[in-house]
Amino acid sequence: MTTNISRRGILAGSLAAGVAALAGCAGSPASPGGGASGGESLQVWGGVPGENGPDALCKAFADANPGVTVTYTRYVNDDQGNVKLDTSLQGGVPIDVFFSYGPDVFARRAGAGLALDLTEKIESDQTLAEFHRSASVLKNPVIDDKLYTLPCTESTNFVFVNKAIFDAAGIGVPTAWTTDEFTGIAAELTKGKVIGAFDSPMTSRGTLGSNWLYADDGRKSNFTNPAFSADIARRLQMQQAGTIMPRQRVLAEKLTTFQQKPFLAGELAMLGSSAYVMRYIKDLKEYPHEFVTAAAPEPKPAGDASFNTGGLGDFPAVSSKSANPDLAWKFVHFWFTNAATHLAAGGRVPSAKLSAADATTALAAMTDNNSELFDLESFKTVLFGQPRPRFSVDTIFTAQTELITIKNKLEEEVLLGARDLSTFAAEATKQGDAALATAS
Amino acid sequence: MSALSARHRRELAGWAFIMPNLVGVMLFLLVPVVVGAGLSFANWNLVSGVEGVRLTGLENYRLLAVDPAYWRAVGRTVQYAGIAVPVTVASGLLLALALHAGAFGSRVLQLIFFLPHVVSMIALGVAWLLILHPTAGIVNLALKAVGMDSPPLWLASPQWALWCLMAISIWAAAGFHALVFMAALQAVPKELQEAAMIDGAGWFRRFTTVTWPAITPTVTFLVVTSIIGFSQGFGLIAFLTEGGPGEASTTLSYLMYQTGFQQYRFGSAAAMGMTAFIGVAVVTALYWRWQRGRSLA
């Protein structure tokens, strides 16, 4: 039998397929029973893949709020993805809650009026006291004297340790150490095909604290501060000694993004990074390895009680155009308080105060309680021990992206031998001040 | 019946035929160009919406004029296009002449040389990353095998990165140029070639007096499209070096990307785009003027 397909039929079919495909792009709604209930709905945009926790969190919120449907749309957190989110926010795409993943990006959106002022909601809740503007150590970005977010995660920087290499050298996993001690251990462990560490500790951010890139209240760049050159000098010295990965190899193999590869291949004794690497440690299919990884705190300059060089992350905001701002705030608060349960498995450490039980749950999710892969006690101490690490929160964001680009670019030139370290401060200051003048 | 004359009906039909393309060109080419030109006289960060556009007159251009990073990027772009354009066109022509002369295995060679043009840029990039890897790449392994202790770091070297990108771009484009030249060579009047031979002209004389004038329009086409293409080179740079190491391969197009899509200074990026547009237009016009009257036709 022959079936005749008319052009109109093909057109109708194509349209149907197109509409279906577009609908598929819109993310997956979470509601009790799995379908739209006809009640309230929330549109949430975030950069974390749904399966790494957001889907479960949205479902938990929908379960706790019958009649509410939550649709989570993932955008890729890169240049193009952020432009997509920004144009969507500007263009009137219905978005109630959106996440930003860097304080400068968040500040830009909040400063442009894309986020709702949450000051009153946050400061009327005493359980969120450490996120108030009056907190003794600022833990929430203050923009034009207002609060727009609740940072949901802490990205603590710490050192992943290949315990087999440490054990073979008779070195215990450090529980507190200086940058000199780190340098010494890296040199001691550099043998044969093993390199001591991926990179040297960059302490300037921790030492200088809030607004580390700025001098003169943000009117000038701060690159003449000796802390910046000291960081590069240590890095250069370790590179010349062969105790960290040479920069050319890092560039050639794009290892800034894939630094877990040499560590899990057993090529590195130490890797300074943050909890997201734990995902790869568990992924034995992609990264087969047999050693146990331990965690050591970030080394600091002698006598320095500085900040951790990591930072607060995952900044949710209620869109200023949200049709349902109260429900959106409720969702943000829910996400903040339930991150331990749903997001820890993906390597995200919640910033909310955790009970001992919550910390145990989060650690279990992050490590699968697998003692053949993780030295569980050391991870518990570094990630959830007391006192918790402190992070510096910036309040000046003028040309911050440009300043970081200038710093990285010139550092790279020094490490590759194309620039003398003695010229770094002057050149970085010249370029940085010019960028600030242009942006002001 | 319609009161339209036959001529009007023909005109209407003509408009109807070109309308889909015309609408496309207006919407996706002319409108963005006009908006970009307007934006170059303003400050805009995208997140502040249309109401956030702040007119600043010539300020973006004034800042560019005194920005050393901009001039360094211009210098790299001129170096990149200034070398890649003539080398690509010349290598495409040489390749076409060899293939046209019926060199052994010319059909297979034709396919091999054209292949880079149809393969995706990501696949090309990955292949070259492996080939030029400082320690494990085939190039440096070969150089070490012949006794070079410290071969260049290629894409990871501030001195070599731009040259490597140039070489890869030339390699990727030469096959396409050869293909276009092959078609032009086949169109060179045979009777002229034969007459020149009878007059005793050698290969070089025949090439300069018959072949070259006949293929000059093709050379012009390829030079113009190459100037435009190479001065906008972005994909390979973004994938292989991201403008680095340091800023060693930051050309004007990559600086535009950084300024616009990383720093959200779209007015400044638009001003860079306009200067690039004017620069390319001037070079193209000068070349066009120079080559006029040099073809056979």
Side-chain angles (χ1 to χ4, degrees), chain B residues 3 34 43 50 56 70 73 82 102 107 147 168 187 207 219-220 230 261 267 278:
Chain B
V34 172
N43 271 351
V50 179
T56 56
Y70 167 76
R107 293 222 173 247
I168 296 168
F207 176 76
V219 175
T220 303
F230 281 112
F261 292 97
I278 292 165

Side-chain angles (χ1 to χ4, degrees), chain A residues 79 86 90 253 409 412, chain B residues 47 133 246-247 257 262 264:
Chain A
D79 296 339
D86 288 330
Q90 267 303 333
E253 296 180 15
K409 186 180 71 180
E412 196 161 275
Chain B
V47 286
H133 190 285
E247 58 169 37
Y257 169 76
Q262 291 178 351
Y264 274 46

Side-chain angles (χ1 to χ4, degrees), chain A residues 98-111:
Chain A
F98 61 88
F99 280 81
S100 304
Y101 296 92
D104 53 335
V105 179
F106 173 74
R108 184 165 63 211
R109 288 175 182 145

Side-chain angles (χ1 to χ4, degrees), chain B residues 191-215:
Chain B
E191 56 275 25
L192 282 181
Q193 295 275 17
E194 286 162 6
M197 275 174 91
I198 291 165
D199 289 345
W203 181 88
F204 185 71
R205 181 82 178 174
R206 287 204 309 280
F207 176 76
T208 53
T209 54
V210 178
T211 311
W212 181 257
I215 64 168

Side-chain angles (χ1 to χ4, degrees), chain B residues 156-283:
Chain B
S157 153
Q159 290 79 25
W160 283 96
L162 195 64
W163 292 99
C164 290
L165 289 165
M166 250 186 253
I168 296 168
S169 308
I170 292 166
W171 168 80
F176 171 73
H177 282 59
L179 198 77
V180 178
F181 274 128
M182 286 277 284
L185 288 173
Q186 276 157 13
V188 177
K190 280 201 173 55
E191 56 275 25
L192 282 181
Q193 295 275 17
E194 286 162 6
M197 275 174 91
I198 291 165
D199 289 345
W203 181 88
F204 185 71
R205 181 82 178 174
R206 287 204 309 280
F207 176 76
T208 53
T209 54
V210 178
T211 311
W212 181 257
I215 64 168
T216 296
T218 306
V219 175
T220 303
F221 165 74
L222 288 175
V223 168
V224 169
T225 52
S226 296
I227 289 172
I228 295 167
F230 281 112
S231 59
Q232 293 174 351
F234 174 77
L236 270 179
I237 295 173
F239 182 70
L240 289 177
T241 62
E242 293 175 43
E247 58 169 37
S249 59
T250 302
T251 57
L252 198 49
S253 55
Y254 197 76
L255 187 66
M256 263 191 274
Y257 169 76
Q258 282 184 320
T259 307
F261 292 97
Q262 291 178 351
Q263 300 166 8
Y264 274 46
R265 292 192 293 124
F266 285 92
S268 190
M272 284 181 204
M274 290 315 293
T275 61
F277 168 71
I278 292 165
V280 171
V282 167
V283 172

